[in-house]
Amino acid sequence: MTSKFHDPVLATETVELLVTNPDGIYIDCTVGGGGHSRFILEKLSQNGRLIGIDRDEEALTEARNVLDNRAQLLHSAFSNIAAAINDFSSDPADGILMDLGVSSHQLDAEHRGFSYRFDSPLDLRMDASKGTTAADLLKRLSLEELTDLIRTYGEDSQARRIAKAIHAEQNSRPITTTTHLADIIRRSVPATQHKSIPRVFQALRIAVNAEMAELEAGLIGAWSVLKPGGRLVVISYHSLEDRRVKLFFSSKTSPTDSAIGPAALIPLKPTGKRITRKPITPSDRELKLNPRSRSAKLRVIEKL
Ligand SMILES: C[S@@+](CC[C@H](N)C(=O)[O-])C[C@H]1O[C@@H](n2cnc3c(N)ncnc32)[C@H](O)[C@@H]1O
């Protein structure tokens, strides 16, 4: 199943590992174009229910068109999952999916500013109805803050050099478009450092959408509304995300009490069981059909 909006990544694997009860309640925290949700609904009976969350209204419009009436959709950030779900269901969930990152639609829609392939306003917000755009963020950041942001979220070794160039340009001619920003980065690093442009865009996107804080709050919230025996499936796309997912899973499968100091960690009873020992990655066939799946890592944990 391919879609102009977004091709779901590791769809077969996700659904096989996620859906254990055809009559159950499932939450897709990142419904996007409804790709994974459609696969989930195919495995559910007429009694099964799906709650789809996305912070992007354009995604919800698409999902509304492709999903049937067993799906209820909600415009929200997934950090808010526990409160949001209360409005739909008093029962805990049988399974929860988080397919992190951006959709193809977000990357390919000229007006969203996610890609430097187009000359667009430098926006990068997933929820275009609120928050700060990347252009506004650049206006506010000091040189130190910008360097930190590019180093931490873009993992670029040229962070200082790039930040200096952006900062200098910002002071003379504010950067408001994607191509303007890409030009400054291109001119600030040697031609061999072509990866710096996507890295800086990634860093800005993570900051504008508070992606790391969202992920941490989303994992905690998802765990709190999951049934014992229910599963949490997370697909991550870069090491910053995957690291947080791994740490969260370890805190459930091998919890420790460090109350008397880190030197004497006391093992506690696990509250989760890892279903995948190693992350699942796309097959060669999927990589060929959908190159955007290349960095995907799928991990699954079951609540005890
Ligand atoms: C990779 S896409 C999901 C695609 C979807 N699984 C599909 O198959 O169509 C990620 C989606 O998650 C949404 N998203 C990212 N972070 C979010 C958050 N913190 N809260 C809610 N939605 C979020 C994005 O707006 C985007 O639509």
Side-chain angles (χ1 to χ4, degrees):
M1 177 165 32
T2 62
S3 149
K4 265 192 145 170
F5 197 93
H6 184 86
D7 286 334
V9 171
L10 292 164
T12 310
E13 296 83 346
T14 298
V15 175
E16 254 167 35
L17 289 160
L18 179 71
V19 181
T20 52
N21 171 15
D23 297 324
I25 300 174
Y26 288 83
I27 305 173
D28 184 345
C29 289
T30 48
V31 73
H36 284 106
S37 284
R38 275 173 81 179
F39 278 87
I40 295 170
L41 285 173
E42 272 175 24
K43 269 200 97 173
L44 297 188
S45 72
Q46 281 309 311
N47 301 323
R49 284 170 60 200
L50 177 98
I51 298 164
I53 301 175
D54 208 290
R55 70 203 313 202
D56 184 342
E57 277 287 10
E58 289 177 11
L60 293 171
T61 302
E62 173 72 10
R64 231 168 256 129
N65 283 334
V66 302
L67 302 177
D68 64 43
N69 58 13
R70 288 170 296 167
Q72 288 164 300
L73 298 173
L74 183 63
H75 183 220
S76 173
F78 57 56
S79 54
N80 200 26
I81 180 173
I85 290 319
N86 269 336
D87 295 344
F88 286 109
S89 165
S90 49
D91 296 321
D94 292 79
I96 301 179
L97 169 65
M98 297 170 94
D99 177 23
L100 303 171
V102 276
S103 66
S104 291
H105 171 76
Q106 286 165 335
L107 288 173
D108 296 338
E110 273 194 62
H111 62 288
R112 304 294 299 268
F114 280 86
S115 171
Y116 52 90
R117 283 179 294 139
F118 314 110
D119 186 21
S120 330
L122 191 60
D123 190 323
L124 281 123
R125 286 170 304 163
M126 292 181 186
D127 184 347
S129 70
K130 57 173 179 267
T132 304
T133 67
D136 285 337
L137 184 64
L138 285 184
K139 276 187 214 151
R140 287 209 315 244
L141 293 178
S142 68
L143 175 58
E144 289 312 317
E145 288 166 333
L146 185 57
T147 309
D148 251 19
L149 188 145
I150 297 173
R151 189 173 290 135
T152 312
Y153 292 154
E155 299 185 288
D156 197 300
S157 58
Q158 307 284 322
R160 180 80 184 167
R161 195 195 259 221
I162 298 168
K164 268 184 166 172
I166 295 176
H167 210 251
E169 178 79 5
Q170 185 66 23
N171 286 335
S172 59
R173 192 161 73 96
I175 303 171
T176 56
T177 66
T178 48
T179 45
H180 187 184
L181 176 62
D183 269 354
I184 306 300
I185 304 166
R186 198 175 289 115
R187 280 193 264 128
S188 69
V189 289
T192 47
Q193 302 285 329
H194 59 283
K195 288 203 173 136
S196 289
I197 302 177
R199 285 184 188 141
V200 174
F201 271 76
Q202 171 181 297
L204 286 173
R205 194 199 86 204
I206 291 175
V208 161
N209 297 292
E211 289 181 36
M212 292 305 129
E214 272 295 314
L215 177 55
E216 268 160 29
L219 289 167
I220 294 169
W223 195 253
S224 75
V225 296
L226 195 61
K227 215 181 235 181
R231 290 182 175 185
L232 172 61
V233 174
V234 186
I235 308 176
S236 64
Y237 293 88
H238 55 78
S239 55
L240 294 168
E241 288 173 345
D242 190 48
R243 217 172 293 147
R244 278 167 172 80
V245 176
K246 262 196 318 199
L247 269 176
F248 180 80
F249 281 18
S250 298
S251 75
K252 303 301 168 197
T253 56
S254 323
T256 49
D257 183 349
S258 59
I260 50 173
L265 296 177
I266 303 166
L268 298 175
K269 208 166 158 231
T271 55
K273 174 172 90 176
R274 234 180 263 273
I275 299 297
T276 43
R277 228 172 44 80
K278 289 211 165 134
I280 297 177
T281 55
S283 64
D284 290 344
R285 182 167 180 274
E286 177 163 7
L287 289 171
K288 207 179 265 171
L289 290 171
N290 181 13
R292 280 183 176 164
S293 68
R294 68 186 167 275
S295 52
K297 283 189 176 158
L298 181 153
R299 295 182 188 272
V300 189
I301 188 169
E302 187 173 291
K303 192 164 178 176
L304 294 172

